[in-house]
Amino acid sequence: ALSGPLPGARPCLHARRGRPAPMCDRFSDVVIGFVEAVQSAEDEEEGAESKQKKSKVDTTMEVSSHVLCLASPVFRAMLTSAEWEEGRSRRVAVPPSVGTRRGFAEFYAFLVPGSSCEKCVTDDNVDDVLALTDYYQVAALKNRCEQFLARTRPCSIPLLQQADKYGLAALRANCIEHLAADPDTDWTAFRDNPGMLWEITQGLRMAYRALHEVSKDRLRERDSWGRWQDPGSDADSERLGRQGAW
C-alpha cells in the first residue's frame, strides 16, 4: 500500500514552486491541521482582562503519508484504513493539547530520511517532540528525548511530572532516587496520583536504608577509633602492645 503515490496525491509545495524536493517527500498527500491560540492586537488594547481571551487560528501543514506511516503505528492505522475518517479525507487534526504546527514541523523533520540525520534534540524542541512521539508512538525518537532530558536537566519535581506523564520509566526512577535523598522535597504535587505515591514510597525506603547503612558504618568507625584511643581493658592493652611490637 506504501509502494507508490496514493490516489489523489498531488505534488508537494517544493514541486509546485519549481524547487527540487526530497525523494521521500516528492508527494505530500496528507494535510495536518492545527488549532492554535494567538494573542491579537485588539485583545491587548482592551486591557488585561481581555488578554485571557485568545483568538483561535486554523493552520495546516502538508506532509507525506509514507513518512508518517513508516515511523508511527498510529498514523499507519489512520491513513491506511478506509474505516478511519483520516484515511478517507487525507486530513489529520492534531489536538491542541498534543502539539502545534511549529512543534510538528520539528517532529516531522526527525522522521524524514536525510534531514533526520542532521536533526538533534535540543532544549528548544525536546518538549514539543516528546509530546508528539508519545501520542503517535514513535518509540525510537521518544527514547532520544528521554536520554537528552536525563543528560541535560537536573532532577526536579517538574521533570518527574514530565517523566510520569509520558511514561519515561528510567528517567522517572532516576528522579525519584535523587529527590528521595533530599528531605526538603515537596511531594504534594502527586497527592492525587496513587501510582506515583507508591513509587515515591519505595524510593524513600531505599534512601532511608542507604542512610541507615551509612550511619551504622560511621558508628563502627567511631567505636573502633575510641578503642584505639582508650583501650579500656587489659585484653585490649595486651593486644595493642603486641601490635606495637610488630
Side-chain angles (χ1 to χ4, degrees):
L2 301 179
S3 58
L6 295 176
R10 57 178 182 148
C12 65
L13 289 175
H14 298 281
R16 295 203 300 271
R17 293 174 181 173
R19 297 197 300 263
M23 182 64 67
C24 64
D25 199 25
R26 196 60 57 83
F27 289 93
S28 296
D29 57 341
V30 173
V31 175
I32 306 296
F34 311 88
V35 178
E36 302 181 18
V38 297
Q39 184 71 47
S40 66
E42 295 179 357
D43 293 336
E44 296 182 0
E45 293 176 357
E46 293 178 3
E49 182 177 351
S50 63
K51 284 184 180 181
Q52 298 177 358
K53 300 178 182 179
K54 296 182 179 180
S55 303
K56 300 291 184 178
V57 175
D58 293 329
T59 60
T60 60
M61 176 180 176
E62 294 181 321
V63 297
S64 169
S65 65
H66 297 70
V67 172
L68 298 180
C69 291
L70 286 171
S72 165
V74 177
F75 279 119
R76 189 180 309 125
M78 288 192 297
L79 297 175
T80 60
S81 174
E83 297 179 0
W84 288 69
E85 174 62 28
E86 290 83 357
R88 297 190 299 269
S89 66
R90 317 307 292 167
R91 299 182 68 90
V92 177
V94 176
S97 59
V98 174
T100 62
R101 190 185 189 286
R102 175 182 175 277
F104 195 91
E106 291 285 331
F107 166 73
Y108 184 68
F110 280 101
L111 308 183
V112 177
S115 68
S116 60
C117 299
E118 303 175 357
K119 283 294 291 184
C120 295
V121 179
T122 66
D123 198 57
D124 291 332
N125 65 23
V126 63
D127 296 320
D128 292 333
V129 173
L130 176 59
L132 288 159
T133 56
D134 179 69
Y135 190 79
Y136 293 110
Q137 300 178 18
V138 185
L141 184 52
K142 182 177 178 179
N143 290 337
R144 288 180 61 182
C145 292
E146 180 178 14
Q147 293 169 7
F148 177 84
L149 291 173
R151 291 195 312 268
T152 61
R153 294 190 181 177
C155 292
S156 62
I157 292 296
L159 183 61
L160 178 56
Q161 290 176 306
Q162 187 176 31
D164 179 56
K165 178 178 180 180
Y166 298 118
L168 309 180
L171 182 60
R172 182 174 62 227
N174 185 58
C175 285
I176 290 176
E177 179 182 354
H178 283 78
L179 294 172
D182 183 359
D184 295 326
T185 301
D186 183 5
W187 302 102
T188 55
F190 301 101
R191 60 180 177 271
D192 297 326
N193 190 336
M196 274 298 300
L197 288 177
W198 185 87
E199 291 190 45
I200 291 168
T201 301
Q202 300 305 308
L204 291 171
R205 287 181 60 187
M206 294 181 64
Y208 171 77
R209 287 178 181 175
L211 181 61
H212 184 61
E213 291 298 325
V214 171
S215 299
K216 289 198 317 186
D217 291 342
R218 290 181 177 176
L219 286 174
R220 293 192 195 100
E221 292 175 2
R222 188 188 66 182
D223 293 343
S224 176
W225 178 252
R227 286 196 300 270
W228 278 94
Q229 292 296 320
D230 184 13
S233 66
D234 295 338
D236 288 339
S237 298
E238 183 179 354
R239 176 173 58 80
L240 292 176
R242 288 199 301 270
Q243 293 178 352
W246 282 98

